Amino acid sequence: MEAPIQEYDRYISNLFAPEDTALLLAREEMAREGMPQISVSASSGKLLHVLARIINANRILEVGTLGGYSAIWLARALPARGQMISLEIDPRYAEVARCNLKRAGLEEKVQVRVGPALESLSRLEAEGGAPFDLIFIDADKELYVEYLRKAVPLLREGGLVLGDNTLPLAVLDATADSGTKRYNSEVSARPDLISILVPVLRIKGVDGLSISIKQAQRA
Ligand SMILES: C[S@@+](CC[C@H](N)C(=O)[O-])C[C@H]1O[C@@H](n2cnc3c(N)ncnc32)[C@H](O)[C@@H]1O
């Protein structure tokens, strides 16, 4: 007997990633505001959280905030003085995210910046702040490679860059093109990254999270 993928995801989420009130209300608020239901699943949120904990992340950058659901999972992995910046193009979504983050008690830790992410990334480079330990890419799929190219210089050596939704059906068709397929080709070939694409279960079926570590530069 083969169970539907959703059943496996439900099992993992119920056991390892039960949602508390702040996460449930964040989802409810997004639905009430008529926002698209494209946040990561609870199990993927927990995976992001665990990855941030593994590397003791102090500074996290997210590209694509929506209503702040994944930001809550990530920011909860930060230590007391940890900081997170999340980039969002839509001011209305950013406002919903700020409210959701405030309700989760994370308003001091997470700054939501509004604008096209490529511009915000350039601004971050110009600001020259401390490097990030983890960068989560989850915005316009067609721009993933450009986000990556701007993100890697902002990342510390040994830091993680994560690309969401990187196992589209297009990977099964050698002739098909997609932004996330191009992203996978780039992260798998770059000599400054060690990468793997991990399949993850989602309510809608199988998807993927590309995980890359920035290598130390050799003299
Ligand atoms: C998949 S959703 C992010 C979901 C969120 N990370 C979560 O799991 O809770 C993608 C978000 O990226 C935003 N976005 C799309 N293009 C963008 C761009 N060029 N710059 C910044 N944000 C963008 C969209 O408005 C949307 O809110």
Side-chain angles (χ1 to χ4, degrees):
M1 186 195 75
E2 212 173 307
I5 278 169
Q6 292 84 338
E7 295 293 319
Y8 290 112
D9 187 49
R10 198 163 297 127
Y11 168 77
I12 296 171
S13 292
N14 288 345
L15 192 58
F16 292 95
E19 293 177 315
D20 66 1
T21 310
L23 287 163
L24 287 169
L25 288 177
R27 277 195 194 286
E28 276 180 31
E29 196 55 33
M30 285 187 275
R32 205 178 0 257
E33 291 291 329
M35 292 164 65
Q37 293 182 17
I38 50 174
S39 308
V40 297
S41 62
S43 57
S44 290
K46 183 67 179 285
L47 175 60
L48 297 175
H49 179 96
V50 169
L51 289 170
R53 290 258 174 166
I54 287 172
I55 60 160
N56 290 319
N58 264 300
R59 275 176 59 80
I60 295 177
L61 174 64
E62 176 177 64
V63 183
T65 318
L66 192 67
Y69 183 82
S70 52
I72 295 175
W73 280 106
L74 280 165
R76 282 178 170 173
L78 289 167
R81 288 172 179 275
Q83 287 292 312
M84 175 166 174
I85 295 176
S86 187
L87 311 179
E88 173 56 51
I89 199 166
D90 187 319
R92 201 171 58 89
Y93 292 177
E95 209 35 57
V96 173
R98 288 190 188 108
C99 289
N100 286 333
L101 287 159
K102 187 166 185 199
R103 199 185 300 110
L106 295 165
E107 76 269 35
E108 299 290 323
K109 278 196 168 137
V110 187
Q111 184 189 120
V112 181
R113 293 192 181 187
V114 177
L118 290 177
E119 288 177 19
S120 303
L121 288 164
S122 297
R123 203 159 299 128
L124 280 167
E125 192 176 6
E127 285 170 17
F132 291 95
D133 303 295
L134 186 154
I135 301 180
F136 177 48
I137 299 179
D138 190 20
D140 183 347
K141 309 300 169 230
E142 286 307 305
L143 297 177
Y144 263 36
V145 169
E146 277 112 302
Y147 297 146
L148 178 79
R149 289 177 186 167
K150 285 188 177 282
V152 173
L154 299 173
L155 192 66
R156 73 157 161 90
E157 287 177 356
L160 293 181
V161 59
L162 310 173
D164 200 34
N165 307 119
T166 46
L167 198 54
L169 263 181
V171 297
L172 303 180
D173 179 352
T175 62
D177 179 46
S178 89
T180 49
K181 232 175 130 178
R182 275 180 264 124
Y183 179 89
N184 288 334
S185 299
E186 174 120 350
V187 292
S188 60
R190 277 180 74 133
D192 57 345
L193 299 176
I194 306 172
S195 303
I196 185 66
L197 169 51
V198 180
V200 291
L201 305 177
R202 296 271 162 85
I203 301 293
K204 290 175 192 149
V206 175
D207 204 329
L209 181 73
S210 295
I211 303 177
S212 306
I213 307 175
K214 183 170 172 177
Q215 296 224 61
Q217 282 189 351
R218 304 222 171 112

PDB file of all heavy atoms in Angstrom, residues 126-160:
ATOM      1  N   ALA A 126      26.545  47.473   0.094  1.00  0.00           N
ATOM      2  CA  ALA A 126      27.103  48.825   0.257  1.00  0.00           C
ATOM      3  C   ALA A 126      27.216  49.191   1.738  1.00  0.00           C
ATOM      4  O   ALA A 126      28.151  49.887   2.148  1.00  0.00           O
ATOM      5  CB  ALA A 126      26.216  49.828  -0.479  1.00  0.00           C
ATOM      6  N   GLU A 127      26.262  48.717   2.547  1.00  0.00           N
ATOM      7  CA  GLU A 127      26.294  49.020   3.991  1.00  0.00           C
ATOM      8  C   GLU A 127      27.497  48.368   4.663  1.00  0.00           C
ATOM      9  O   GLU A 127      27.990  48.856   5.680  1.00  0.00           O
ATOM     10  CB  GLU A 127      25.015  48.512   4.673  1.00  0.00           C
ATOM     11  CG  GLU A 127      23.807  49.373   4.397  1.00  0.00           C
ATOM     12  CD  GLU A 127      22.510  48.720   4.890  1.00  0.00           C
ATOM     13  OE1 GLU A 127      22.557  47.786   5.717  1.00  0.00           O
ATOM     14  OE2 GLU A 127      21.441  49.144   4.411  1.00  0.00           O
ATOM     15  N   GLY A 128      27.936  47.235   4.101  1.00  0.00           N
ATOM     16  CA  GLY A 128      29.139  46.575   4.609  1.00  0.00           C
ATOM     17  C   GLY A 128      29.031  46.080   6.042  1.00  0.00           C
ATOM     18  O   GLY A 128      30.006  46.140   6.784  1.00  0.00           O
ATOM     19  N   GLY A 129      27.872  45.610   6.453  1.00  0.00           N
ATOM     20  CA  GLY A 129      27.712  45.075   7.813  1.00  0.00           C
ATOM     21  C   GLY A 129      28.400  43.719   7.964  1.00  0.00           C
ATOM     22  O   GLY A 129      29.080  43.238   7.047  1.00  0.00           O
ATOM     23  N   ALA A 130      28.224  43.124   9.145  1.00  0.00           N
ATOM     24  CA  ALA A 130      28.814  41.804   9.405  1.00  0.00           C
ATOM     25  C   ALA A 130      28.209  40.785   8.438  1.00  0.00           C
ATOM     26  O   ALA A 130      27.053  40.938   8.020  1.00  0.00           O
ATOM     27  CB  ALA A 130      28.516  41.396  10.841  1.00  0.00           C
ATOM     28  N   PRO A 131      28.988  39.773   8.065  1.00  0.00           N
ATOM     29  CA  PRO A 131      28.431  38.788   7.133  1.00  0.00           C
ATOM     30  C   PRO A 131      27.298  37.975   7.766  1.00  0.00           C
ATOM     31  O   PRO A 131      27.200  37.885   8.991  1.00  0.00           O
ATOM     32  CB  PRO A 131      29.628  37.888   6.808  1.00  0.00           C
ATOM     33  CG  PRO A 131      30.614  38.117   7.877  1.00  0.00           C
ATOM     34  CD  PRO A 131      30.373  39.484   8.440  1.00  0.00           C
ATOM     35  N   PHE A 132      26.479  37.412   6.919  1.00  0.00           N
ATOM     36  CA  PHE A 132      25.379  36.570   7.404  1.00  0.00           C
ATOM     37  C   PHE A 132      25.879  35.132   7.564  1.00  0.00           C
ATOM     38  O   PHE A 132      26.800  34.693   6.871  1.00  0.00           O
ATOM     39  CB  PHE A 132      24.207  36.624   6.426  1.00  0.00           C
ATOM     40  CG  PHE A 132      23.529  37.960   6.411  1.00  0.00           C
ATOM     41  CD1 PHE A 132      23.875  38.924   5.462  1.00  0.00           C
ATOM     42  CD2 PHE A 132      22.568  38.282   7.359  1.00  0.00           C
ATOM     43  CE1 PHE A 132      23.276  40.180   5.458  1.00  0.00           C
ATOM     44  CE2 PHE A 132      21.957  39.532   7.364  1.00  0.00           C
ATOM     45  CZ  PHE A 132      22.307  40.482   6.409  1.00  0.00           C
ATOM     46  N   ASP A 133      25.227  34.418   8.474  1.00  0.00           N
ATOM     47  CA  ASP A 133      25.555  33.002   8.686  1.00  0.00           C
ATOM     48  C   ASP A 133      24.666  32.108   7.830  1.00  0.00           C
ATOM     49  O   ASP A 133      25.045  30.993   7.491  1.00  0.00           O
ATOM     50  CB  ASP A 133      25.335  32.618  10.159  1.00  0.00           C
ATOM     51  CG  ASP A 133      26.151  33.489  11.085  1.00  0.00           C
ATOM     52  OD1 ASP A 133      27.382  33.412  11.015  1.00  0.00           O
ATOM     53  OD2 ASP A 133      25.545  34.265  11.847  1.00  0.00           O
ATOM     54  N   LEU A 134      23.475  32.604   7.527  1.00  0.00           N
ATOM     55  CA  LEU A 134      22.510  31.805   6.756  1.00  0.00           C
ATOM     56  C   LEU A 134      21.682  32.742   5.879  1.00  0.00           C
ATOM     57  O   LEU A 134      21.216  33.772   6.357  1.00  0.00           O
ATOM     58  CB  LEU A 134      21.606  31.016   7.714  1.00  0.00           C
ATOM     59  CG  LEU A 134      20.613  30.018   7.117  1.00  0.00           C
ATOM     60  CD1 LEU A 134      20.294  28.913   8.134  1.00  0.00           C
ATOM     61  CD2 LEU A 134      19.321  30.657   6.652  1.00  0.00           C
ATOM     62  N   ILE A 135      21.533  32.378   4.608  1.00  0.00           N
ATOM     63  CA  ILE A 135      20.692  33.165   3.695  1.00  0.00           C
ATOM     64  C   ILE A 135      19.674  32.212   3.071  1.00  0.00           C
ATOM     65  O   ILE A 135      20.047  31.193   2.480  1.00  0.00           O
ATOM     66  CB  ILE A 135      21.536  33.862   2.612  1.00  0.00           C
ATOM     67  CG1 ILE A 135      22.574  34.793   3.268  1.00  0.00           C
ATOM     68  CG2 ILE A 135      20.625  34.657   1.654  1.00  0.00           C
ATOM     69  CD1 ILE A 135      23.482  35.535   2.292  1.00  0.00           C
ATOM     70  N   PHE A 136      18.393  32.560   3.241  1.00  0.00           N
ATOM     71  CA  PHE A 136      17.299  31.728   2.723  1.00  0.00           C
ATOM     72  C   PHE A 136      16.675  32.437   1.537  1.00  0.00           C
ATOM     73  O   PHE A 136      16.140  33.546   1.681  1.00  0.00           O
ATOM     74  CB  PHE A 136      16.263  31.493   3.835  1.00  0.00           C
ATOM     75  CG  PHE A 136      15.054  30.722   3.401  1.00  0.00           C
ATOM     76  CD1 PHE A 136      15.168  29.541   2.666  1.00  0.00           C
ATOM     77  CD2 PHE A 136      13.774  31.163   3.725  1.00  0.00           C
ATOM     78  CE1 PHE A 136      14.046  28.815   2.269  1.00  0.00           C
ATOM     79  CE2 PHE A 136      12.640  30.458   3.341  1.00  0.00           C
ATOM     80  CZ  PHE A 136      12.784  29.283   2.604  1.00  0.00           C
ATOM     81  N   ILE A 137      16.739  31.825   0.364  1.00  0.00           N
ATOM     82  CA  ILE A 137      16.203  32.423  -0.872  1.00  0.00           C
ATOM     83  C   ILE A 137      14.848  31.815  -1.186  1.00  0.00           C
ATOM     84  O   ILE A 137      14.730  30.599  -1.403  1.00  0.00           O
ATOM     85  CB  ILE A 137      17.196  32.213  -2.038  1.00  0.00           C
ATOM     86  CG1 ILE A 137      18.533  32.903  -1.724  1.00  0.00           C
ATOM     87  CG2 ILE A 137      16.597  32.724  -3.340  1.00  0.00           C
ATOM     88  CD1 ILE A 137      19.596  32.723  -2.800  1.00  0.00           C
ATOM     89  N   ASP A 138      13.808  32.683  -1.218  1.00  0.00           N
ATOM     90  CA  ASP A 138      12.441  32.185  -1.413  1.00  0.00           C
ATOM     91  C   ASP A 138      11.565  33.293  -2.020  1.00  0.00           C
ATOM     92  O   ASP A 138      10.482  33.560  -1.521  1.00  0.00           O
ATOM     93  CB  ASP A 138      11.864  31.718  -0.063  1.00  0.00           C
ATOM     94  CG  ASP A 138      10.550  30.967  -0.222  1.00  0.00           C
ATOM     95  OD1 ASP A 138      10.270  30.479  -1.327  1.00  0.00           O
ATOM     96  OD2 ASP A 138       9.808  30.861   0.775  1.00  0.00           O
ATOM     97  N   ALA A 139      12.064  33.952  -3.087  1.00  0.00           N
ATOM     98  CA  ALA A 139      11.258  35.019  -3.708  1.00  0.00           C
ATOM     99  C   ALA A 139      10.988  34.651  -5.171  1.00  0.00           C
ATOM    100  O   ALA A 139      10.530  33.536  -5.449  1.00  0.00           O
ATOM    101  CB  ALA A 139      11.951  36.365  -3.555  1.00  0.00           C
ATOM    102  N   ASP A 140      11.250  35.559  -6.101  1.00  0.00           N
ATOM    103  CA  ASP A 140      10.931  35.338  -7.513  1.00  0.00           C
ATOM    104  C   ASP A 140      11.853  34.254  -8.102  1.00  0.00           C
ATOM    105  O   ASP A 140      13.064  34.452  -8.208  1.00  0.00           O
ATOM    106  CB  ASP A 140      11.122  36.675  -8.252  1.00  0.00           C
ATOM    107  CG  ASP A 140      10.745  36.592  -9.718  1.00  0.00           C
ATOM    108  OD1 ASP A 140      10.563  35.474 -10.243  1.00  0.00           O
ATOM    109  OD2 ASP A 140      10.639  37.664 -10.356  1.00  0.00           O
ATOM    110  N   LYS A 141      11.250  33.133  -8.476  1.00  0.00           N
ATOM    111  CA  LYS A 141      12.046  31.965  -8.921  1.00  0.00           C
ATOM    112  C   LYS A 141      12.941  32.307 -10.115  1.00  0.00           C
ATOM    113  O   LYS A 141      14.036  31.770 -10.240  1.00  0.00           O
ATOM    114  CB  LYS A 141      11.145  30.778  -9.297  1.00  0.00           C
ATOM    115  CG  LYS A 141      10.110  30.405  -8.261  1.00  0.00           C
ATOM    116  CD  LYS A 141      10.724  30.020  -6.921  1.00  0.00           C
ATOM    117  CE  LYS A 141       9.697  29.910  -5.820  1.00  0.00           C
ATOM    118  NZ  LYS A 141       9.963  30.611  -4.600  1.00  0.00           N
ATOM    119  N   GLU A 142      12.461  33.191 -11.000  1.00  0.00           N
ATOM    120  CA  GLU A 142      13.248  33.529 -12.197  1.00  0.00           C
ATOM    121  C   GLU A 142      14.520  34.293 -11.839  1.00  0.00           C
ATOM    122  O   GLU A 142      15.440  34.390 -12.643  1.00  0.00           O
ATOM    123  CB  GLU A 142      12.400  34.346 -13.184  1.00  0.00           C
ATOM    124  CG  GLU A 142      11.366  33.507 -13.919  1.00  0.00           C
ATOM    125  CD  GLU A 142      11.988  32.276 -14.591  1.00  0.00           C
ATOM    126  OE1 GLU A 142      12.923  32.451 -15.370  1.00  0.00           O
ATOM    127  OE2 GLU A 142      11.532  31.155 -14.321  1.00  0.00           O
ATOM    128  N   LEU A 143      14.560  34.867 -10.641  1.00  0.00           N
ATOM    129  CA  LEU A 143      15.720  35.679 -10.245  1.00  0.00           C
ATOM    130  C   LEU A 143      16.657  34.944  -9.282  1.00  0.00           C
ATOM    131  O   LEU A 143      17.594  35.535  -8.763  1.00  0.00           O
ATOM    132  CB  LEU A 143      15.240  36.991  -9.603  1.00  0.00           C
ATOM    133  CG  LEU A 143      14.433  37.926 -10.510  1.00  0.00           C
ATOM    134  CD1 LEU A 143      13.949  39.148  -9.722  1.00  0.00           C
ATOM    135  CD2 LEU A 143      15.266  38.377 -11.701  1.00  0.00           C
ATOM    136  N   TYR A 144      16.405  33.647  -9.068  1.00  0.00           N
ATOM    137  CA  TYR A 144      17.185  32.910  -8.058  1.00  0.00           C
ATOM    138  C   TYR A 144      18.694  33.016  -8.289  1.00  0.00           C
ATOM    139  O   TYR A 144      19.455  33.186  -7.348  1.00  0.00           O
ATOM    140  CB  TYR A 144      16.764  31.435  -8.036  1.00  0.00           C
ATOM    141  CG  TYR A 144      15.748  31.090  -6.966  1.00  0.00           C
ATOM    142  CD1 TYR A 144      14.745  31.981  -6.602  1.00  0.00           C
ATOM    143  CD2 TYR A 144      15.774  29.857  -6.323  1.00  0.00           C
ATOM    144  CE1 TYR A 144      13.812  31.659  -5.636  1.00  0.00           C
ATOM    145  CE2 TYR A 144      14.846  29.519  -5.354  1.00  0.00           C
ATOM    146  CZ  TYR A 144      13.867  30.421  -5.016  1.00  0.00           C
ATOM    147  OH  TYR A 144      12.940  30.104  -4.046  1.00  0.00           O
ATOM    148  N   VAL A 145      19.138  32.875  -9.548  1.00  0.00           N
ATOM    149  CA  VAL A 145      20.586  32.897  -9.804  1.00  0.00           C
ATOM    150  C   VAL A 145      21.149  34.273  -9.469  1.00  0.00           C
ATOM    151  O   VAL A 145      22.220  34.385  -8.861  1.00  0.00           O
ATOM    152  CB  VAL A 145      20.900  32.495 -11.264  1.00  0.00           C
ATOM    153  CG1 VAL A 145      22.353  32.766 -11.598  1.00  0.00           C
ATOM    154  CG2 VAL A 145      20.576  31.025 -11.487  1.00  0.00           C
ATOM    155  N   GLU A 146      20.390  35.326  -9.812  1.00  0.00           N
ATOM    156  CA  GLU A 146      20.873  36.683  -9.486  1.00  0.00           C
ATOM    157  C   GLU A 146      20.901  36.915  -7.972  1.00  0.00           C
ATOM    158  O   GLU A 146      21.830  37.517  -7.446  1.00  0.00           O
ATOM    159  CB  GLU A 146      20.005  37.754 -10.149  1.00  0.00           C
ATOM    160  CG  GLU A 146      20.406  38.003 -11.581  1.00  0.00           C
ATOM    161  CD  GLU A 146      19.343  37.535 -12.555  1.00  0.00           C
ATOM    162  OE1 GLU A 146      18.986  36.336 -12.537  1.00  0.00           O
ATOM    163  OE2 GLU A 146      18.871  38.363 -13.314  1.00  0.00           O
ATOM    164  N   TYR A 147      19.866  36.405  -7.266  1.00  0.00           N
ATOM    165  CA  TYR A 147      19.887  36.519  -5.797  1.00  0.00           C
ATOM    166  C   TYR A 147      21.144  35.825  -5.260  1.00  0.00           C
ATOM    167  O   TYR A 147      21.842  36.352  -4.401  1.00  0.00           O
ATOM    168  CB  TYR A 147      18.666  35.835  -5.156  1.00  0.00           C
ATOM    169  CG  TYR A 147      17.317  36.407  -5.493  1.00  0.00           C
ATOM    170  CD1 TYR A 147      16.209  35.569  -5.601  1.00  0.00           C
ATOM    171  CD2 TYR A 147      17.119  37.770  -5.679  1.00  0.00           C
ATOM    172  CE1 TYR A 147      14.940  36.073  -5.881  1.00  0.00           C
ATOM    173  CE2 TYR A 147      15.856  38.278  -5.969  1.00  0.00           C
ATOM    174  CZ  TYR A 147      14.775  37.422  -6.074  1.00  0.00           C
ATOM    175  OH  TYR A 147      13.525  37.917  -6.351  1.00  0.00           O
ATOM    176  N   LEU A 148      21.378  34.628  -5.776  1.00  0.00           N
ATOM    177  CA  LEU A 148      22.527  33.846  -5.296  1.00  0.00           C
ATOM    178  C   LEU A 148      23.828  34.620  -5.481  1.00  0.00           C
ATOM    179  O   LEU A 148      24.651  34.698  -4.562  1.00  0.00           O
ATOM    180  CB  LEU A 148      22.592  32.517  -6.060  1.00  0.00           C
ATOM    181  CG  LEU A 148      23.784  31.639  -5.689  1.00  0.00           C
ATOM    182  CD1 LEU A 148      23.517  30.920  -4.379  1.00  0.00           C
ATOM    183  CD2 LEU A 148      24.097  30.633  -6.785  1.00  0.00           C
ATOM    184  N   ARG A 149      24.002  35.197  -6.679  1.00  0.00           N
ATOM    185  CA  ARG A 149      25.267  35.891  -6.962  1.00  0.00           C
ATOM    186  C   ARG A 149      25.476  37.091  -6.058  1.00  0.00           C
ATOM    187  O   ARG A 149      26.595  37.450  -5.742  1.00  0.00           O
ATOM    188  CB  ARG A 149      25.303  36.299  -8.441  1.00  0.00           C
ATOM    189  CG  ARG A 149      25.461  35.075  -9.325  1.00  0.00           C
ATOM    190  CD  ARG A 149      25.434  35.408 -10.787  1.00  0.00           C
ATOM    191  NE  ARG A 149      25.439  34.179 -11.574  1.00  0.00           N
ATOM    192  CZ  ARG A 149      25.172  34.120 -12.866  1.00  0.00           C
ATOM    193  NH1 ARG A 149      24.877  35.227 -13.535  1.00  0.00           N
ATOM    194  NH2 ARG A 149      25.209  32.969 -13.501  1.00  0.00           N
ATOM    195  N   LYS A 150      24.372  37.725  -5.647  1.00  0.00           N
ATOM    196  CA  LYS A 150      24.501  38.854  -4.728  1.00  0.00           C
ATOM    197  C   LYS A 150      24.579  38.386  -3.278  1.00  0.00           C
ATOM    198  O   LYS A 150      25.106  39.091  -2.416  1.00  0.00           O
ATOM    199  CB  LYS A 150      23.310  39.800  -4.895  1.00  0.00           C
ATOM    200  CG  LYS A 150      23.404  40.639  -6.157  1.00  0.00           C
ATOM    201  CD  LYS A 150      22.322  41.689  -6.179  1.00  0.00           C
ATOM    202  CE  LYS A 150      22.460  42.577  -7.405  1.00  0.00           C
ATOM    203  NZ  LYS A 150      23.516  43.576  -7.250  1.00  0.00           N
ATOM    204  N   ALA A 151      24.039  37.192  -3.014  1.00  0.00           N
ATOM    205  CA  ALA A 151      23.995  36.699  -1.629  1.00  0.00           C
ATOM    206  C   ALA A 151      25.338  36.124  -1.178  1.00  0.00           C
ATOM    207  O   ALA A 151      25.764  36.372  -0.045  1.00  0.00           O
ATOM    208  CB  ALA A 151      22.902  35.635  -1.490  1.00  0.00           C
ATOM    209  N   VAL A 152      25.996  35.381  -2.058  1.00  0.00           N
ATOM    210  CA  VAL A 152      27.220  34.677  -1.625  1.00  0.00           C
ATOM    211  C   VAL A 152      28.274  35.628  -1.045  1.00  0.00           C
ATOM    212  O   VAL A 152      28.862  35.324   0.001  1.00  0.00           O
ATOM    213  CB  VAL A 152      27.781  33.790  -2.761  1.00  0.00           C
ATOM    214  CG1 VAL A 152      29.133  33.203  -2.372  1.00  0.00           C
ATOM    215  CG2 VAL A 152      26.799  32.659  -3.078  1.00  0.00           C
ATOM    216  N   PRO A 153      28.517  36.824  -1.641  1.00  0.00           N
ATOM    217  CA  PRO A 153      29.499  37.726  -1.034  1.00  0.00           C
ATOM    218  C   PRO A 153      29.083  38.224   0.363  1.00  0.00           C
ATOM    219  O   PRO A 153      29.934  38.680   1.134  1.00  0.00           O
ATOM    220  CB  PRO A 153      29.575  38.909  -2.018  1.00  0.00           C
ATOM    221  CG  PRO A 153      29.048  38.368  -3.305  1.00  0.00           C
ATOM    222  CD  PRO A 153      28.039  37.328  -2.932  1.00  0.00           C
ATOM    223  N   LEU A 154      27.780  38.133   0.677  1.00  0.00           N
ATOM    224  CA  LEU A 154      27.295  38.602   1.988  1.00  0.00           C
ATOM    225  C   LEU A 154      27.377  37.511   3.054  1.00  0.00           C
ATOM    226  O   LEU A 154      27.024  37.735   4.219  1.00  0.00           O
ATOM    227  CB  LEU A 154      25.829  39.060   1.880  1.00  0.00           C
ATOM    228  CG  LEU A 154      25.515  40.215   0.922  1.00  0.00           C
ATOM    229  CD1 LEU A 154      24.001  40.404   0.814  1.00  0.00           C
ATOM    230  CD2 LEU A 154      26.168  41.496   1.425  1.00  0.00           C
ATOM    231  N   LEU A 155      27.798  36.313   2.639  1.00  0.00           N
ATOM    232  CA  LEU A 155      27.774  35.139   3.522  1.00  0.00           C
ATOM    233  C   LEU A 155      29.173  34.870   4.084  1.00  0.00           C
ATOM    234  O   LEU A 155      30.160  34.995   3.358  1.00  0.00           O
ATOM    235  CB  LEU A 155      27.321  33.944   2.674  1.00  0.00           C
ATOM    236  CG  LEU A 155      26.924  32.640   3.350  1.00  0.00           C
ATOM    237  CD1 LEU A 155      25.657  32.828   4.193  1.00  0.00           C
ATOM    238  CD2 LEU A 155      26.690  31.554   2.287  1.00  0.00           C
ATOM    239  N   ARG A 156      29.246  34.472   5.349  1.00  0.00           N
ATOM    240  CA  ARG A 156      30.562  34.107   5.917  1.00  0.00           C
ATOM    241  C   ARG A 156      30.997  32.747   5.380  1.00  0.00           C
ATOM    242  O   ARG A 156      30.158  31.951   4.945  1.00  0.00           O
ATOM    243  CB  ARG A 156      30.491  34.070   7.440  1.00  0.00           C
ATOM    244  CG  ARG A 156      29.714  32.864   8.003  1.00  0.00           C
ATOM    245  CD  ARG A 156      30.144  32.562   9.439  1.00  0.00           C
ATOM    246  NE  ARG A 156      29.195  31.766  10.178  1.00  0.00           N
ATOM    247  CZ  ARG A 156      29.186  30.428  10.241  1.00  0.00           C
ATOM    248  NH1 ARG A 156      30.044  29.704   9.539  1.00  0.00           N
ATOM    249  NH2 ARG A 156      28.284  29.800  10.988  1.00  0.00           N
ATOM    250  N   GLU A 157      32.287  32.494   5.435  1.00  0.00           N
ATOM    251  CA  GLU A 157      32.775  31.164   5.068  1.00  0.00           C
ATOM    252  C   GLU A 157      32.195  30.157   6.053  1.00  0.00           C
ATOM    253  O   GLU A 157      32.143  30.417   7.255  1.00  0.00           O
ATOM    254  CB  GLU A 157      34.305  31.131   5.108  1.00  0.00           C
ATOM    255  CG  GLU A 157      34.904  31.895   3.944  1.00  0.00           C
ATOM    256  CD  GLU A 157      36.418  31.950   3.995  1.00  0.00           C
ATOM    257  OE1 GLU A 157      37.022  31.456   4.962  1.00  0.00           O
ATOM    258  OE2 GLU A 157      37.003  32.507   3.049  1.00  0.00           O
ATOM    259  N   GLY A 158      31.719  29.046   5.560  1.00  0.00           N
ATOM    260  CA  GLY A 158      31.071  28.051   6.417  1.00  0.00           C
ATOM    261  C   GLY A 158      29.586  28.329   6.601  1.00  0.00           C
ATOM    262  O   GLY A 158      28.881  27.544   7.227  1.00  0.00           O
ATOM    263  N   GLY A 159      29.108  29.467   6.062  1.00  0.00           N
ATOM    264  CA  GLY A 159      27.690  29.809   6.161  1.00  0.00           C
ATOM    265  C   GLY A 159      26.865  29.040   5.123  1.00  0.00           C
ATOM    266  O   GLY A 159      27.406  28.477   4.170  1.00  0.00           O
ATOM    267  N   LEU A 160      25.543  29.065   5.335  1.00  0.00           N
ATOM    268  CA  LEU A 160      24.643  28.305   4.458  1.00  0.00           C
ATOM    269  C   LEU A 160      23.816  29.225   3.578  1.00  0.00           C
ATOM    270  O   LEU A 160      23.299  30.239   4.054  1.00  0.00           O
ATOM    271  CB  LEU A 160      23.652  27.488   5.292  1.00  0.00           C
ATOM    272  CG  LEU A 160      24.163  26.331   6.136  1.00  0.00           C
ATOM    273  CD1 LEU A 160      22.984  25.667   6.845  1.00  0.00           C
ATOM    274  CD2 LEU A 160      24.875  25.306   5.255  1.00  0.00           C
TER     275      LEU A 160
END
